[in-house]
Amino acid sequence: MNTHHDVCQVRSVDKKKVRAVMKSMLTDQEAVHLSETFSVLADPTRTKIIYALSSEELCVCDIAGILGMSVSAISHQLRILRNMRLVKFRKEAKMVYYSLDDAHITTLFNEGLNHIRE
Amino acid sequence: MNTHHDVCQVRSVDKKKVRAVMKSMLTDQEAVHLSETFSVLADPTRTKIIYALSSEELCVCDIAGILGMSVSAISHQLRILRNMRLVKFRKEAKMVYYSLDDAHITTLFNEGLNHIRE
DNA sequence: CCCATAATTGAACATATGTTCAACTATAAG
DNA sequence: CTTATAGTTGAACATATGTTCAATTATGGG
């Protein structure tokens, strides 16, 4: 609930503009969904994992080795990526091999990578 | 410093793969830079602000009105967007008008928007 | 000069997030 | 069956993040 006690009392300087923008504004659901999408890529460990998996299918142990981090930390992050359907996995004996499973986010990832590297 | 006490002892299941991936791996700096870029868009309030400003130049008061949030909360977020050079502003009398100032991130933003709306 | 309004700022607060540690499951070898 | 290894998980912990609240700055009107 919005009590407006700290919201600008004029409510709007340009009511016409305000009404127009409000009409096309993202819904809360859209804004949350959109920001959650970006959140997946908003962590250096996860960007490294995604980058690593973009060239090779890898087991948890090797990802940990490549990033110089604990298997546990990597496993926790892989769970997040799994829940977001960004990676898929395949079991073979005692090993679990991970690979990318989302062409969409990969595009977004590469778009971001191009931006910082330009 | 990495003590390796919890890192897989085998160090690598497939040393060839591991070495190859490590060679092309993002640097810490790149990974942090990349994830920081995505972090800017990883908050629903900021995505709404960016969306609002993509159609109109707006003063702080009107942005607050559109989002139904306090002027203070919006101002704090605008400072973040300003520091990241995502928005620029212009003073007129007592008002401060904000507008977008980064074509790059806007592309990334729209890419994300397309993904969730497809 | 005094007051009202637009906006910014810092501190406090609650919540979210990422890593560590230890315990646990699953699989395979002897 | 026992042991070793790969991986997962939950709790604890520290840190980061976003909003609120109160105080402050900046601008303009009477």
Side-chain angles (χ1 to χ4, degrees):
Chain A
M1 197 89 354
N2 188 347
T3 55
H4 283 152
H5 61 281
D6 192 24
V7 173
C8 177
Q9 292 309 309
V10 185
R11 292 274 317 285
S12 58
V13 172
D14 187 332
K15 296 194 180 188
K16 208 166 185 176
K17 262 196 204 175
V18 169
R19 241 176 293 130
V21 176
M22 284 185 85
K23 222 167 209 168
S24 76
M25 179 48 64
L26 300 171
T27 62
D28 283 359
Q29 208 189 34
E30 279 178 318
V32 168
H33 190 178
L34 184 54
S35 62
E36 276 175 351
T37 302
F38 287 116
S39 294
V40 184
L41 305 171
D43 173 80
T45 301
R46 285 196 293 274
T47 60
K48 283 186 176 181
I49 292 175
I50 292 169
Y51 185 82
L53 294 179
S54 69
S55 62
E56 293 271 16
E57 177 192 63
L58 293 164
C59 66
V60 179
C61 188
D62 281 356
I63 299 174
I66 290 164
L67 302 206
M69 293 178 65
S70 73
V71 169
S72 176
I74 299 299
S75 185
H76 278 296
Q77 295 296 358
L78 283 170
R79 185 159 58 107
I80 293 172
L81 296 173
R82 251 189 290 128
N83 291 343
M84 302 284 198
R85 314 273 164 180
L86 257 167
V87 300
K88 61 176 187 286
F89 64 95
R90 155 180 94 76
K91 287 194 162 192
E92 187 182 311
K94 282 183 288 189
M95 249 73 121
V96 180
Y97 288 95
Y98 281 86
S99 55
L100 294 185
D101 189 30
D102 191 302
H104 270 213
I105 306 275
T106 310
T107 308
L108 212 55
F109 177 82
N110 287 326
E111 187 83 29
L113 194 55
N114 289 338
H115 282 169
I116 70 154
R117 280 189 167 167
E118 62 153 16
Chain B
M1 196 88 357
N2 190 346
T3 55
H4 282 156
H5 60 284
D6 192 23
V7 173
C8 178
Q9 292 309 309
V10 186
R11 291 273 319 283
S12 56
V13 171
D14 187 332
K15 295 192 179 189
K16 208 165 181 176
K17 262 196 205 174
V18 169
R19 243 177 292 128
V21 176
M22 284 184 84
K23 220 167 209 169
S24 75
M25 179 49 64
L26 300 171
T27 63
D28 282 359
Q29 209 189 32
E30 280 178 318
V32 168
H33 190 178
L34 184 55
S35 62
E36 276 175 350
T37 302
F38 287 116
S39 293
V40 185
L41 306 172
D43 173 80
T45 300
R46 285 196 294 273
T47 60
K48 282 186 177 182
I49 292 175
I50 292 170
Y51 186 82
L53 294 178
S54 70
S55 62
E56 293 272 15
E57 178 192 62
L58 293 163
C59 67
V60 179
C61 187
D62 280 356
I63 299 174
I66 291 165
L67 302 206
M69 292 177 64
S70 73
V71 169
S72 176
I74 298 299
S75 185
H76 278 294
Q77 295 296 358
L78 283 170
R79 185 159 58 107
I80 293 172
L81 295 174
R82 250 189 292 130
N83 291 344
M84 302 283 199
R85 313 272 166 184
L86 257 166
V87 300
K88 61 176 188 284
F89 64 94
R90 155 180 94 76
K91 288 193 161 192
E92 189 182 310
K94 281 181 289 188
M95 249 73 120
V96 180
Y97 288 95
Y98 280 86
S99 54
L100 293 187
D101 189 31
D102 190 303
H104 271 213
I105 306 275
T106 310
T107 308
L108 212 54
F109 177 82
N110 287 327
E111 187 83 29
L113 195 54
N114 289 337
H115 282 169
I116 69 155
R117 281 188 166 168
E118 62 154 14

